Amino acid sequence: MKKQERQRYIKRLLSSNEIERQEDFVSLLRAENIEVTQATISRDIKDMQLVKVPSATGGYHYSMPVQKQMDTEKKLKRTLKDAYVSYATQDKFVLVKVLPGNGPALASLIEAMHYDEVFGTIGDDATVLIICKSLALTLDLQQKIQRLLSDN
Amino acid sequence: MKKQERQRYIKRLLSSNEIERQEDFVSLLRAENIEVTQATISRDIKDMQLVKVPSATGGYHYSMPVQKQMDTEKKLKRTLKDAYVSYATQDKFVLVKVLPGNGPALASLIEAMHYDEVFGTIGDDATVLIICKSLALTLDLQQKIQRLLSDN
DNA sequence: TCCAGTCTTTCATATTTATGCAAAATGGCT
DNA sequence: AGCCATTTTGCATAAATATGAAAGACTGGA
């Protein structure tokens, strides 16, 4: 189906771009050969319950819905606590080792969080490599992970 | 100061969540004898990082930012765990007793959570009385508090 | 007190977002 | 296929939100 596919694209765009207005979605989708109007995006956003968040830096950007994020974070926390083995950082990478079999689950949870810091993740059975958007953001992400681990 | 006081009002208005547009804030504040324009509300919302959330029922409403909610919940948990003595319920009231000195802090944290169930709170040095909006909601709130106490 | 710098507000308006309605597309059914 | 019901979309525009610029308020210091 058309709409669903587009909404999948929208989700993916969320994590990889700083999207300030609905027209940004329109252009980014056009770049992927998907033609839509702002009206449709507005409806998609309502459907998906995305929100336009005032960011600390003074701008705005679209982001995943609150509830989903909280649910996902809970799962992420549990998975991390259950399966965590170790982690290491280098450059823009954070490498998390987990118990065998937990890699894919963890990776997809991290994807689902749509962290601003994260460019993408890739993993195997027992490892997740998180690629950040910048060095500074790598630090941020590291802290987030530590917090998830230590935090009640 | 003026701005901060207004933003406190805005926070309180949030929990009585029928707020669909910024003009709603303007009218509600006018009802409390606070005159502002939509422009100022827009800037307040940016300051406070409130978001306009597409609700499941098809409309929109303004809401607290995710991050702040999570931070507050964390503090609330800690305070409860640290200072909790006992609690009792009657009618639409939940009465929480805490160690001396912790009442006001707890009350303001509960206010800050903007629980839908809560009509208002009042407290002294060692007690917080939470007034719920209905009997059913009192039960809900009780469960929330228990969860905060028991929960990891 | 008066001033300069900073912050806050309003007004006016630009920008962005939401939506009524008609047209187009999609999905069964027969 | 052909038809009807339902869903989705675009267009046009209404509605809502954000923001530059000017004016007003506030603050600390001379």
Side-chain angles (χ1 to χ4, degrees):
Chain A
M1 183 167 290
K2 198 78 182 305
K3 182 182 169 189
Q4 285 176 15
E5 196 196 357
R6 186 185 56 245
Q7 294 196 350
R8 290 163 63 88
Y9 269 94
I10 288 177
K11 270 198 194 171
R12 294 195 40 227
L13 288 173
L14 265 189
S15 57
S16 55
N17 300 76
E18 204 52 2
I19 295 175
E20 302 186 329
R21 36 180 158 301
Q22 299 184 355
E23 289 291 355
D24 292 345
F25 280 114
V26 176
S27 347
L28 287 167
L29 286 171
R30 181 168 7 254
E32 309 224 32
N33 267 26
I34 300 174
E35 292 288 328
V36 265
T37 59
Q38 173 270 324
T40 299
I41 296 294
S42 172
R43 294 190 178 103
D44 283 340
I45 281 170
K46 192 172 185 175
D47 264 23
M48 304 169 71
Q49 297 186 240
L50 302 185
V51 293
K52 190 183 177 188
V53 188
S55 62
T57 57
Y60 295 86
H61 70 274
Y62 278 92
S63 148
M64 287 293 281
V66 187
Q67 195 50 57
K68 292 229 173 110
Q69 270 185 9
M70 300 220 303
D71 289 356
T72 305
E73 184 174 64
K74 231 167 261 177
K75 283 183 214 151
L76 177 57
K77 244 186 215 171
R78 211 176 317 126
T79 305
L80 267 179
K81 277 167 191 267
D82 284 0
Y84 174 78
V85 173
S86 71
Y87 87 86
T89 317
Q90 184 161 104
D91 298 323
K92 298 182 191 169
F93 308 114
V94 179
L95 188 75
V96 182
K97 289 199 175 291
V98 289
L99 297 176
N102 292 90
L106 181 62
S108 85
L109 285 171
I110 289 171
E111 288 277 349
M113 286 297 289
H114 292 93
Y115 285 130
D116 285 351
E117 293 91 346
V118 173
F119 172 74
T121 70
I122 182 172
D124 66 12
D125 198 55
T127 317
V128 179
L129 179 67
I130 308 164
I131 304 159
C132 294
K133 290 183 192 159
S134 78
L135 228 55
L137 292 176
T138 309
L139 217 41
D140 287 358
L141 184 74
Q142 221 182 315
Q143 291 177 335
K144 275 192 188 171
I145 289 175
Q146 268 181 324
R147 212 173 305 135
L148 286 171
L149 278 166
S150 62
D151 215 60
N152 40 71
Chain B
M1 183 169 289
K2 199 78 182 303
K3 181 181 168 190
Q4 285 177 17
E5 197 197 356
R6 185 185 55 246
Q7 294 197 350
R8 289 165 62 87
Y9 271 93
I10 288 177
K11 272 196 193 172
R12 295 193 44 225
L13 288 174
L14 266 188
S15 59
S16 56
N17 53 21
E18 298 297 338
I19 298 180
E20 302 187 327
R21 35 179 163 297
Q22 299 185 355
E23 289 291 354
D24 291 347
F25 281 114
V26 176
S27 351
L28 287 168
L29 286 172
R30 184 172 358 259
E32 310 224 31
N33 267 26
I34 300 174
E35 292 289 328
V36 267
T37 58
Q38 173 270 324
T40 298
I41 296 295
S42 173
R43 292 194 176 96
D44 282 340
I45 280 171
K46 191 173 186 174
D47 263 23
M48 305 169 71
Q49 297 186 240
L50 302 185
V51 294
K52 188 184 178 188
V53 188
S55 62
T57 58
Y60 296 86
H61 71 273
Y62 278 93
S63 150
M64 288 289 283
V66 191
Q67 196 52 59
K68 294 243 170 90
Q69 271 183 10
M70 302 218 304
D71 288 355
T72 305
E73 183 173 64
K74 232 168 260 175
K75 282 184 213 148
L76 177 57
K77 244 185 216 171
R78 209 175 320 124
T79 305
L80 267 179
K81 278 167 191 268
D82 284 0
Y84 174 77
V85 173
S86 71
Y87 87 87
T89 316
Q90 183 163 105
D91 297 324
K92 298 181 191 169
F93 309 113
V94 179
L95 187 75
V96 182
K97 290 201 173 288
V98 290
L99 297 176
N102 291 91
L106 181 61
S108 86
L109 285 171
I110 290 171
E111 288 276 349
M113 286 298 290
H114 293 94
Y115 288 129
D116 284 352
E117 292 91 345
V118 174
F119 172 74
T121 69
I122 182 171
D124 67 13
D125 199 56
T127 316
V128 180
L129 178 68
I130 309 164
I131 305 160
C132 293
K133 292 185 190 156
S134 78
L135 227 56
L137 292 175
T138 309
L139 216 42
D140 286 0
L141 184 75
Q142 220 182 315
Q143 291 177 336
K144 274 193 187 170
I145 290 175
Q146 267 181 324
R147 211 173 304 132
L148 286 171
L149 277 165
S150 63
D151 215 56
N152 54 65

